[in-house]
Amino acid sequence: LLMEFRLRIAKFKDNLSSWKIRFVCYLLLCFQTISVFADQPRQVKIPVADIIEHGIFEAGTSFFFGRDNDFSRRETILDFDFGLFNWIEIGINHQKTLRIGDESALLGHLKLQLLKEQDLSPHLSIGVKDLNNIKKHRSMFLSFSKKLNLPKMHIVGVHFGIGNDHYGMESSTGLFGGFEKEFSSRIAPGDFSLVLQFDRRGVSGSLLHTADTGLQTMVGSELLNNGGQVRFLAKIAFTNKSLVKRIEETQRLAKQAARLVGQGKSGKN
């Protein structure tokens, strides 16, 4: 039985790569079946090359408020993102816009990491936004992310990439980029992140707080259409990253304790 179990494990490892490929193809097929009801106002949110770790998810709700020359606009976005195998990130969001009509859309996104950050090399990822609407939007992108140690600012994250449609014009590519600085504060426990981003629509700035429990809150603003429109945003979300880390640490300590107990018993014998 033990030999048979080992053979099955070896066969599973051999087939793992092909299983990953089939899994990705299955996801692409699923996303193609998701319906899109209407075009939505685009949020200034660039795709960073970092990938959510395997088994980690982020779920949240974003609210946008603003006023332009024609009408008041309110937009709500429900996000759910999760990571697989430490090189695949999948996102699903539901957008709802209240304006002259009531519009909503359910969209899927896919990102694959080609290169992990190491020494001088950055994170490198490719992906598609609005995957189920690819024939109309064709929002494909290539993104780079790198942590730099700058004087007086210490460690900062820099993001840069190219893409079309969502990030550029319909018939050409455009550039997008961003800057991220993490820091801690005595005001509240947890981690703070100052995020600045830009793409063809405009620029955005936001402040994100992640509590030790995994609760995330964010406030910010966007300057769109060459300064002709200002939107304010607020977001509340949850990630299980800190919970998973605590579980892994508890398991590590339990294994270490069991090993010490075993060593103590063997020493007595």
Side-chain angles (χ1 to χ4, degrees):
L1 293 178
L2 181 59
M3 182 61 67
E4 182 180 358
F5 176 75
R6 289 179 177 177
L7 290 175
R8 289 184 178 181
I9 292 296
K11 185 177 181 181
F12 173 77
K13 290 181 178 179
D14 293 337
N15 295 331
L16 184 60
S17 297
S18 60
W19 183 84
K20 288 180 180 180
I21 295 174
R22 291 196 298 269
F23 183 80
V24 173
C25 293
Y26 175 75
L27 289 174
L28 292 173
L29 180 62
C30 289
F31 280 135
Q32 292 293 338
T33 64
I34 301 176
S35 300
V36 177
F37 303 105
D39 293 334
Q40 300 301 310
R42 298 297 187 180
Q43 177 190 3
V44 180
K45 183 179 180 182
I46 67 171
V48 299
D50 304 64
I51 292 290
I52 298 177
E53 298 177 13
H54 178 75
I56 304 299
F57 71 83
E58 297 176 2
T61 304
S62 302
F63 303 94
F64 294 83
F65 309 92
R67 180 178 295 275
D68 55 27
N69 296 328
D70 298 325
F71 50 81
S72 297
R73 177 178 297 170
R74 296 179 181 178
E75 182 180 358
T76 303
I77 301 179
L78 304 177
D79 291 296
F80 182 77
D81 303 289
F82 57 98
L84 290 172
F85 312 120
N86 293 322
W87 64 279
I88 302 175
E89 182 176 318
I90 301 167
I92 301 174
N93 67 49
H94 178 269
Q95 303 178 3
K96 188 172 184 179
T97 304
L98 302 178
R99 44 181 182 179
I100 297 176
D102 189 356
E103 300 180 353
S104 63
L106 184 63
L107 303 173
H109 316 294
L110 178 66
K111 182 168 60 174
L112 306 177
Q113 189 171 71
L114 305 179
L115 183 66
K116 292 186 178 296
E117 182 177 3
Q118 186 176 10
D119 298 328
L120 297 178
S121 63
H123 288 300
L124 173 63
S125 296
I126 59 173
V128 181
K129 188 174 178 65
D130 301 350
L131 182 61
N132 46 317
N133 210 22
I134 188 173
K135 292 183 179 180
K136 186 172 183 179
H137 289 298
R138 301 185 302 279
S139 301
M140 294 173 283
F141 61 84
L142 173 69
S143 61
F144 305 83
S145 294
K146 178 68 176 175
K147 291 187 180 298
L148 302 177
N149 192 353
L150 301 180
K152 297 183 179 180
M153 299 187 67
H154 303 291
I155 303 297
V156 298
V158 178
H159 312 287
F160 181 75
I162 57 175
N164 60 352
D165 189 65
H166 185 93
Y167 311 103
M169 305 305 292
E170 185 174 356
S171 58
S172 63
T173 59
L175 302 177
F176 57 84
F179 169 90
E180 183 177 359
K181 170 61 180 175
E182 296 182 356
F183 61 95
S184 57
S185 174
R186 297 180 180 178
I187 299 176
D191 299 321
F192 287 86
S193 296
L194 176 64
V195 183
L196 303 175
Q197 301 180 359
F198 74 88
D199 61 17
R200 72 175 178 88
R201 291 207 64 230
V203 296
S204 70
S206 58
L207 180 64
L208 170 68
H209 174 253
T210 303
D212 296 335
T213 58
L215 180 66
Q216 296 179 325
T217 53
M218 183 177 70
V219 292
S221 62
E222 297 180 333
L223 187 61
L224 308 175
N225 301 328
N226 296 321
Q229 180 184 357
V230 178
R231 295 201 305 181
F232 301 94
L233 63 95
K235 179 177 181 179
I236 182 168
F238 174 78
T239 175
N240 67 334
K241 183 176 181 178
S242 59
L243 177 62
V244 171
K245 295 296 184 184
R246 288 199 295 268
I247 293 176
E248 291 177 349
E249 180 65 17
T250 302
Q251 292 176 342
R252 186 188 66 82
L253 293 175
K255 290 180 180 179
Q256 184 178 0
R259 186 168 56 251
L260 292 175
V261 171
Q263 291 176 352
K265 291 182 177 180
S266 60
K268 291 180 180 179
N269 295 333

